[in-house]
Amino acid sequence: MNVSKAFWSWVKCFLTERTQHVNLHGVISSSAPCPAGVPQGSVISPTLFNIYINDLENTLTNNFTNTHKYADDCTLDEVVANGALSNVQESTNQVMNWANDNKMVVNPKKTKDMWISFSQSSPEPPPIQTDGIEIERVNSFKLLGVWVQNDLKWNTHVCKTTKRANKLLFLLRECRKYFLPPEIGLLTYTSKIRPILEYASPVWGGIPKYLDVEIERVQQRSLRILGLETCNELKRIVEVPNNQCNRFLSGNKNHTYELEGLETALQDSSQKHTGIVRLLSQGRVD
């Protein structure tokens, strides 16, 4: 990696001959050596770990399987055409060999297998195994905080997200219980609850209306707990001409748009993506 000898020597000195002990209720255990790993909490430890797993892709001999790494999470994916064989099992075996050579352990219980296909004529590939243990095939799984389904819908993600956000509404009730200013409640909502609802929204943001309503209900419930007005109150303000709040609202604006150019662009885009749609409808992903 073209690092200097001085830096290499410093890293070697930083990692070797380290010891650890346990402090339990003021009682300190005897020290034990740490023959592997990096110190937890150190600033340079994440960088050293990324360097350690940097050559994982080099172990994959086929060009059909893609590798995606994030921290200590690794995902393999492959698009398999109808009638072709999957290479995921071969790639999994190579990853396992790399892990054994680098003194790392892959947890089969935390490893999941998902098969996506919209063609009923495509038979499912055989289950994937690691060290003789069959990997569980699931219909949905959580990948970097986003729930993905094998039908590419977002019902599970919205359900899990709203359930998690609703559990935190007690924070807003505590703000109301102790008569804290509305600004405190809004700050609690925007910092604790709303980030959960909006996490990775560029990925799943194209959800249908009925799922969008489920997320909107969490926000409406939060406003009611804080005693703040909702969009219904805004409608009542607009309907009353002499309402003092009308001075904060801008007047109606008339817009004219040329839709002819937009329609042409959409037609061109549809023609360009026909091949991709056909690939998704005929292929499957392990």
Side-chain angles (χ1 to χ4, degrees):
M1 300 186 68
N2 298 322
V3 299
S4 64
K5 184 178 180 180
F7 178 75
W8 181 87
S9 300
W10 181 89
V11 173
K12 180 181 179 181
C13 180
F14 175 72
L15 294 177
T16 55
E17 299 181 1
R18 300 189 68 93
T19 59
Q20 64 179 1
H21 61 265
V22 178
N23 186 341
L24 181 61
H25 299 302
V27 180
I28 301 178
S29 67
S30 58
S31 298
C34 300
V38 293
Q40 186 174 3
S42 172
V43 175
I44 198 176
S45 293
T47 301
L48 294 178
F49 180 80
N50 289 334
I51 294 175
Y52 192 71
I53 65 174
N54 187 54
D55 63 338
L56 175 60
E57 292 89 344
N58 299 336
T59 64
L60 303 181
T61 58
N62 66 76
N63 298 324
F64 304 100
T65 306
N66 302 314
T67 305
H68 312 276
K69 296 183 300 184
Y70 183 83
D72 61 344
D73 185 273
C74 180
T75 302
L76 302 178
D77 77 86
E78 179 188 19
V79 178
V80 184
N82 282 335
L85 299 177
S86 173
N87 298 279
V88 174
Q89 180 63 68
E90 178 186 357
S91 300
T92 303
N93 296 336
Q94 294 172 353
V95 171
M96 295 297 296
N97 294 334
W98 177 91
N100 295 330
D101 294 339
N102 289 271
K103 299 180 176 59
M104 299 187 69
V105 179
V106 177
N107 191 341
K109 295 182 179 180
K110 292 184 178 181
T111 305
K112 305 300 179 182
D113 170 30
M114 175 179 287
W115 181 71
I116 302 174
S117 177
F118 296 98
S119 176
Q120 298 180 355
S121 61
S122 299
E124 291 193 15
I128 300 175
Q129 296 186 355
T130 58
D131 292 338
I133 301 177
E134 183 176 314
I135 300 300
E136 179 186 7
R137 179 162 291 174
V138 296
N139 296 327
S140 64
F141 71 101
K142 189 178 182 180
L143 178 62
L144 300 181
V146 178
W147 284 90
V148 183
Q149 297 177 216
N150 62 345
D151 56 3
L152 301 184
K153 296 181 179 180
W154 299 107
N155 300 65
T156 301
H157 178 77
V158 172
C159 179
K160 298 284 187 180
T161 299
T162 53
K163 184 178 180 179
R164 181 184 173 192
N166 282 323
K167 289 182 178 180
L168 295 178
L169 293 182
F170 80 95
L171 297 174
L172 304 182
R173 295 188 181 96
E174 291 295 305
C175 294
R176 186 73 181 273
K177 178 181 177 181
Y178 292 100
F179 304 101
L180 296 179
E183 293 78 9
I184 303 298
L186 284 176
L187 179 61
T188 303
Y189 171 76
T190 55
S191 60
K192 297 294 184 181
I193 300 177
R194 187 165 182 173
I196 297 177
L197 300 176
E198 295 183 344
Y199 175 77
S201 57
V203 176
W204 53 266
I207 56 177
K209 181 64 177 179
Y210 73 95
L211 293 178
D212 189 20
V213 170
E214 293 297 323
I215 296 179
E216 186 67 21
R217 284 175 180 172
V218 180
Q219 176 167 283
Q220 298 295 335
R221 193 176 297 114
S222 302
L223 292 174
R224 287 195 298 267
I225 294 174
L226 295 175
L228 301 176
E229 304 296 347
T230 64
C231 57
N232 294 330
E233 178 65 19
L234 176 61
K235 182 178 179 180
R236 288 193 292 269
I237 292 174
V238 174
E239 292 175 349
V240 179
N242 59 349
N243 193 300
Q244 296 182 358
C245 295
N246 277 321
R247 61 191 179 92
F248 298 105
L249 303 177
S250 59
N252 295 332
K253 297 181 179 180
N254 297 324
H255 299 278
T256 57
Y257 299 98
E258 291 290 340
L259 299 181
E260 181 178 355
L262 178 61
E263 294 176 354
T264 303
L266 290 175
Q267 293 176 359
D268 295 341
S269 176
S270 176
Q271 295 175 358
K272 293 180 180 178
H273 290 81
T274 300
I276 298 178
V277 175
R278 186 181 299 113
L279 175 64
L280 291 175
S281 63
Q282 296 181 356
R284 65 177 189 267
V285 180
D286 291 336

